[in-house]
Amino acid sequence: MIDKNVASADAAVADIPDGATIMVGGFGPAGQPCALLDALIRHRPRELTLISNNAGNGDFGLAALLKAGCVRKVVCSFPRQSDSWVFDDLYRRGELELELIPQGNLAARIQAGGAGLGGFYTPTGYGTKLAEGKETREIDGRQYVFELPLKADFALIKAEKGDRWGNLLYYKTGRNFGPIMAMAAHCTIAEINQLVPLGELDPETVITPGIFVQRLVTTPASAVQLSA
């Protein structure tokens, strides 16, 4: 019998080793798997490479992971916001390495990793510092930059509902990077608000099929949804 439920968030992340590359879903707080991130902080791996859209807000979630000294490198689109003081401080002190990627390129590189592609050409970034050291070519009179796929050892994502096979539904904007990150990681760990009986989810509405999910952790739904 397939049952991907794990007893706790701590058990779900217990084998994430030092030096691992992890993808973390979320667009700011929306869809961020905070229970899994809190468990990862308690586990306290070091030298992680973090792939996410943002580099943390306030002092919780991703920001708390950075503050705990777990992360060596951040790969993201928007590292600096009005409440990104944890990232700002660590980066200015030279304690974090940053790879900045335009948001569309970030999504496309993750998708390429999940689809098993060797890379793709994009006009975004051509002629800027973001293209330095990368292959370029002209296609139909336009200049393009070659971008490599992004893959990870683990993906930590958040969904609204799931069944024991790992099929997932998301809550509105909480969907964001979760589906493509689930496809691009060797092991996907999904934090869900509600575990439903097998067969309750209409297959036509499933966003992430269970084949892309290895572990499930059920946590109580927040009283206030962060995605709108």
Side-chain angles (χ1 to χ4, degrees):
M1 183 178 72
I2 298 175
D3 190 348
K4 298 179 179 179
N5 285 294
V6 180
S8 67
D10 291 270
V13 304
D15 62 343
I16 297 181
D18 293 351
T21 296
I22 64 168
M23 291 179 175
V24 178
F27 192 94
Q32 192 174 140
C34 288
L36 289 174
L37 289 171
D38 289 345
L40 191 59
I41 293 168
R42 291 190 291 271
H43 176 49
R44 206 61 72 99
R46 300 292 178 177
E47 298 291 308
L48 298 176
T49 295
L50 169 66
I51 300 172
S52 63
N53 185 64
N54 304 81
N57 304 84
D59 295 293
F60 66 92
L62 285 176
L65 186 69
L66 300 183
K67 191 173 184 178
C70 298
V71 179
R72 174 187 61 84
K73 179 179 179 179
V74 175
V75 180
C76 73
S77 293
F78 290 94
R80 299 193 68 235
Q81 300 145 97
S82 61
D83 58 353
S84 61
W85 49 77
V86 173
F87 169 83
D88 285 0
D89 178 59
L90 292 172
Y91 183 72
R92 291 179 188 279
R93 288 196 277 124
E95 296 183 16
L96 271 182
E97 181 182 348
L98 171 66
E99 180 180 347
L100 188 64
I101 305 177
Q103 190 176 72
N105 285 5
L106 177 66
R109 289 180 66 182
I110 295 170
Q111 287 175 314
L117 301 179
F120 60 93
Y121 287 97
T122 173
T124 304
Y126 178 79
T128 73
K129 289 185 177 181
L130 296 177
E132 289 180 358
K134 297 178 180 179
E135 177 190 345
T136 61
R137 66 179 294 183
E138 182 178 329
I139 303 174
D140 291 334
R142 191 174 188 184
Q143 297 295 332
Y144 288 79
V145 181
F146 186 72
E147 295 285 357
L148 294 170
L150 282 173
K151 294 182 280 188
D153 302 306
F154 294 86
L156 309 183
I157 63 174
K158 177 71 179 285
E160 177 64 20
K161 294 181 181 181
D163 60 29
R164 63 177 173 84
W165 282 1
N167 298 306
L168 303 178
L169 294 179
Y170 300 84
Y171 182 80
K172 298 184 178 180
T173 57
R175 173 175 173 173
N176 52 72
F177 287 86
I180 58 175
M181 286 182 171
M183 297 176 65
H186 178 71
C187 178
T188 295
I189 307 171
E191 174 185 329
I192 60 174
N193 287 335
Q194 183 181 356
L195 179 67
V196 300
L198 197 62
E200 182 170 314
L201 299 179
D202 181 350
E204 295 296 329
T205 66
V206 169
I207 305 301
T208 297
I211 193 172
F212 297 116
V213 177
Q214 282 68 51
R215 301 172 193 169
L216 284 173
V217 175
T218 305
T219 59
S222 171
V224 178
Q225 292 286 356
L226 291 173
S227 29

